[in-house]
Coordinates of all heavy atoms in Angstrom, one line a residue:
L84 N -55.3 -82.0 -52.7 CA -55.1 -81.6 -51.3 C -54.7 -82.8 -50.5 O -54.0 -82.7 -49.5 CB -56.3 -80.9 -50.8 CG -56.5 -79.5 -51.4 CD1 -57.9 -78.9 -51.0 CD2 -55.4 -78.5 -51.0
L142 N -57.2 -74.7 -33.7 CA -56.5 -75.4 -34.7 C -57.4 -75.9 -35.8 O -57.0 -75.9 -37.0 CB -55.7 -76.6 -34.1 CG -54.2 -76.4 -33.9 CD1 -54.0 -75.4 -32.8 CD2 -53.5 -77.7 -33.6
E143 N -58.6 -76.3 -35.5 CA -59.5 -76.8 -36.5 C -60.1 -75.7 -37.4 O -60.1 -75.9 -38.6 CB -60.7 -77.6 -35.8 CG -60.2 -78.9 -35.1 CD -59.7 -79.9 -36.1 OE1 -60.0 -79.7 -37.3 OE2 -59.1 -80.9 -35.7
T144 N -60.5 -74.6 -36.9 CA -61.2 -73.6 -37.7 C -60.8 -72.2 -37.4 O -61.5 -71.2 -37.7 CB -62.7 -73.7 -37.5 OG1 -63.1 -73.5 -36.2 CG2 -63.2 -75.1 -38.0
N145 N -59.6 -72.0 -36.7 CA -59.2 -70.7 -36.3 C -60.3 -70.0 -35.5 O -60.7 -68.9 -35.8 CB -58.8 -69.8 -37.5 CG -57.9 -68.7 -37.1 OD1 -57.2 -68.7 -36.1 ND2 -57.9 -67.6 -37.9
F146 N -60.8 -70.7 -34.5 CA -61.9 -70.2 -33.6 C -63.2 -69.9 -34.4 O -63.9 -68.9 -34.1 CB -61.4 -69.0 -32.8 CG -60.1 -69.2 -32.1 CD1 -58.9 -68.5 -32.5 CD2 -60.0 -70.1 -31.1 CE1 -57.7 -68.7 -31.9 CE2 -58.8 -70.3 -30.4 CZ -57.6 -69.6 -30.8
G147 N -63.5 -70.7 -35.4 CA -64.7 -70.6 -36.1 C -64.7 -69.6 -37.2 O -65.8 -69.4 -37.8
S148 N -63.6 -69.1 -37.5 CA -63.5 -68.1 -38.6 C -63.5 -68.7 -40.0 O -63.8 -68.1 -41.0 CB -62.3 -67.2 -38.5 OG -61.1 -67.9 -38.6
Y149 N -63.2 -70.0 -40.1 CA -63.2 -70.7 -41.4 C -63.7 -72.1 -41.2 O -62.9 -73.0 -40.7 CB -61.9 -70.6 -42.1 CG -61.9 -71.2 -43.5 CD1 -62.5 -70.5 -44.5 CD2 -61.5 -72.5 -43.8 CE1 -62.6 -71.0 -45.8 CE2 -61.6 -73.0 -45.0 CZ -62.2 -72.2 -46.0 OH -62.3 -72.8 -47.3
L150 N -64.9 -72.4 -41.5 CA -65.5 -73.7 -41.3 C -65.4 -74.6 -42.6 O -65.7 -75.8 -42.5 CB -67.0 -73.6 -41.0 CG -67.3 -72.7 -39.8 CD1 -68.8 -72.8 -39.4 CD2 -66.5 -73.1 -38.5
G151 N -64.9 -74.1 -43.7 CA -64.8 -74.8 -44.9 C -65.9 -74.6 -45.8 O -67.1 -74.4 -45.4
K152 N -65.6 -74.5 -47.1 CA -66.6 -74.1 -48.1 C -66.8 -75.2 -49.2 O -67.5 -75.0 -50.2 CB -66.3 -72.8 -48.8 CG -66.3 -71.6 -47.8 CD -65.9 -70.3 -48.6 CE -65.9 -69.1 -47.6 NZ -65.6 -67.9 -48.3
M153 N -66.2 -76.4 -49.0 CA -66.3 -77.4 -50.0 C -67.5 -78.3 -49.7 O -67.8 -78.6 -48.5 CB -65.0 -78.2 -50.0 CG -63.8 -77.4 -50.3 SD -62.3 -78.4 -50.7 CE -62.7 -78.9 -52.4
N154 N -68.1 -78.8 -50.7 CA -69.3 -79.7 -50.5 C -68.8 -81.0 -50.0 O -68.0 -81.7 -50.6 CB -70.0 -79.9 -51.9 CG -71.3 -80.6 -51.7 OD1 -71.3 -81.8 -51.5 ND2 -72.4 -79.9 -51.8
V155 N -69.3 -81.4 -48.8 CA -68.9 -82.6 -48.1 C -69.2 -83.9 -48.9 O -68.4 -84.8 -49.0 CB -69.5 -82.6 -46.7 CG1 -69.3 -84.0 -46.1 CG2 -68.8 -81.6 -45.8
S158 N -66.8 -84.1 -51.8 CA -65.5 -84.5 -51.4 C -65.4 -86.0 -51.0 O -64.5 -86.7 -51.4 CB -65.1 -83.6 -50.2 OG -65.0 -82.3 -50.5
S191 N -76.8 -79.5 -50.6 CA -76.6 -78.0 -50.9 C -76.1 -77.3 -49.7 O -75.6 -76.2 -49.8 CB -78.0 -77.4 -51.3 OG -79.0 -77.5 -50.3
T192 N -76.3 -77.9 -48.5 CA -75.9 -77.1 -47.2 C -74.8 -77.8 -46.4 O -74.3 -77.2 -45.5 CB -77.1 -77.0 -46.3 OG1 -77.6 -78.3 -46.0 CG2 -78.2 -76.2 -47.0
M193 N -74.4 -79.0 -46.8 CA -73.4 -79.7 -46.0 C -72.0 -79.3 -46.5 O -71.5 -79.9 -47.4 CB -73.6 -81.2 -46.1 CG -72.8 -82.0 -45.1 SD -73.0 -83.8 -45.2 CE -74.6 -84.0 -44.5
L194 N -71.4 -78.3 -45.9 CA -70.2 -77.8 -46.3 C -69.1 -78.0 -45.3 O -69.4 -78.0 -44.1 CB -70.3 -76.3 -46.6 CG -71.3 -75.8 -47.6 CD1 -71.4 -74.3 -47.8 CD2 -71.1 -76.5 -49.0
G195 N -67.9 -78.2 -45.7 CA -66.8 -78.4 -44.8 C -65.4 -78.4 -45.4 O -65.2 -77.7 -46.4
S196 N -64.5 -79.2 -44.9 CA -63.2 -79.3 -45.5 C -63.1 -80.2 -46.7 O -64.0 -80.9 -47.0 CB -62.2 -79.8 -44.4 OG -62.4 -81.2 -44.2
W197 N -61.9 -80.2 -47.3 CA -61.7 -81.0 -48.5 C -61.9 -82.5 -48.1 O -62.2 -83.3 -49.0 CB -60.4 -80.8 -49.1 CG -59.2 -81.1 -48.2 CD1 -58.5 -80.3 -47.4 CD2 -58.6 -82.4 -48.1 NE1 -57.6 -80.9 -46.7 CE2 -57.6 -82.2 -47.1 CE3 -58.8 -83.7 -48.6 CZ2 -56.8 -83.3 -46.7 CZ3 -58.1 -84.7 -48.2 CH2 -57.0 -84.6 -47.3
A198 N -61.6 -82.9 -46.9 CA -61.7 -84.3 -46.5 C -63.0 -84.6 -45.9 O -63.2 -85.8 -45.4 CB -60.6 -84.6 -45.4
G199 N -64.0 -83.7 -45.8 CA -65.3 -84.0 -45.3 C -65.6 -83.7 -43.9 O -66.6 -84.1 -43.3
A200 N -64.7 -83.0 -43.2 CA -64.9 -82.6 -41.8 C -65.8 -81.3 -41.8 O -65.7 -80.4 -42.6 CB -63.5 -82.3 -41.2
M201 N -66.6 -81.2 -40.7 CA -67.6 -80.2 -40.7 C -67.7 -79.5 -39.3 O -67.3 -80.0 -38.3 CB -69.0 -80.9 -40.9 CG -69.1 -81.6 -42.2 SD -70.6 -82.5 -42.4 CE -70.3 -83.9 -41.3
G202 N -68.2 -78.2 -39.4 CA -68.5 -77.5 -38.2 C -67.3 -76.8 -37.5 O -66.2 -76.9 -38.0
N203 N -67.6 -76.2 -36.4 CA -66.6 -75.5 -35.6 C -65.4 -76.4 -35.2 O -64.3 -75.9 -35.1 CB -67.2 -74.8 -34.4 CG -67.8 -73.5 -34.7 OD1 -67.1 -72.5 -34.6 ND2 -69.1 -73.5 -34.9
M204 N -65.7 -77.6 -34.9 CA -64.7 -78.6 -34.5 C -64.3 -79.6 -35.5 O -63.5 -80.5 -35.3 CB -65.2 -79.3 -33.2 CG -65.4 -78.4 -32.0 SD -63.9 -77.6 -31.5 CE -64.4 -76.8 -30.0
Q205 N -64.8 -79.4 -36.8 CA -64.4 -80.2 -37.9 C -64.6 -81.7 -37.6 O -63.6 -82.5 -37.7 CB -63.0 -79.9 -38.3 CG -62.8 -78.5 -38.9 CD -63.5 -78.3 -40.3 OE1 -63.0 -78.7 -41.3 NE2 -64.7 -77.8 -40.3
F206 N -65.8 -82.1 -37.3 CA -66.1 -83.5 -37.1 C -66.3 -84.2 -38.5 O -67.0 -83.7 -39.3 CB -67.4 -83.7 -36.3 CG -67.2 -83.6 -34.8 CD1 -66.2 -83.0 -34.2 CD2 -68.2 -84.3 -34.0 CE1 -66.0 -82.9 -32.9 CE2 -68.0 -84.2 -32.6 CZ -66.9 -83.6 -32.0
L226 N -73.4 -78.2 -35.3 CA -72.0 -77.9 -35.1 C -71.4 -76.8 -35.9 O -70.3 -76.3 -35.7 CB -71.1 -79.2 -35.3 CG -71.5 -80.4 -34.6 CD1 -70.4 -81.5 -34.7 CD2 -71.7 -80.1 -33.1
W227 N -72.3 -76.3 -36.8 CA -71.9 -75.1 -37.6 C -72.2 -73.8 -36.9 O -71.4 -72.9 -36.9 CB -72.6 -75.1 -39.0 CG -72.1 -76.1 -40.0 CD1 -71.1 -76.0 -40.8 CD2 -72.7 -77.4 -40.2 NE1 -70.9 -77.1 -41.6 CE2 -71.9 -78.0 -41.2 CE3 -73.7 -78.1 -39.7 CZ2 -72.2 -79.3 -41.7 CZ3 -74.0 -79.4 -40.1 CH2 -73.2 -80.0 -41.2
N228 N -73.4 -73.7 -36.3 CA -73.9 -72.4 -35.8 C -74.1 -72.3 -34.3 O -74.4 -71.2 -33.8 CB -75.3 -72.2 -36.5 CG -75.2 -72.2 -38.0 OD1 -74.5 -71.4 -38.6 ND2 -75.9 -73.2 -38.6

Side-chain angles (χ1 to χ4, degrees):
L84 291 170
L142 261 67
E143 291 295 345
T144 61
N145 200 24
F146 308 112
S148 65
Y149 186 75
L150 305 185
K152 297 181 179 179
M153 301 191 77
N154 187 284
V155 167
S158 295
S191 64
T192 60
M193 193 181 289
L194 304 179
S196 75
W197 64 266
M201 302 173 286
N203 275 275
M204 297 297 186
Q205 292 291 278
F206 274 26
L226 305 190
W227 286 275
N228 304 300

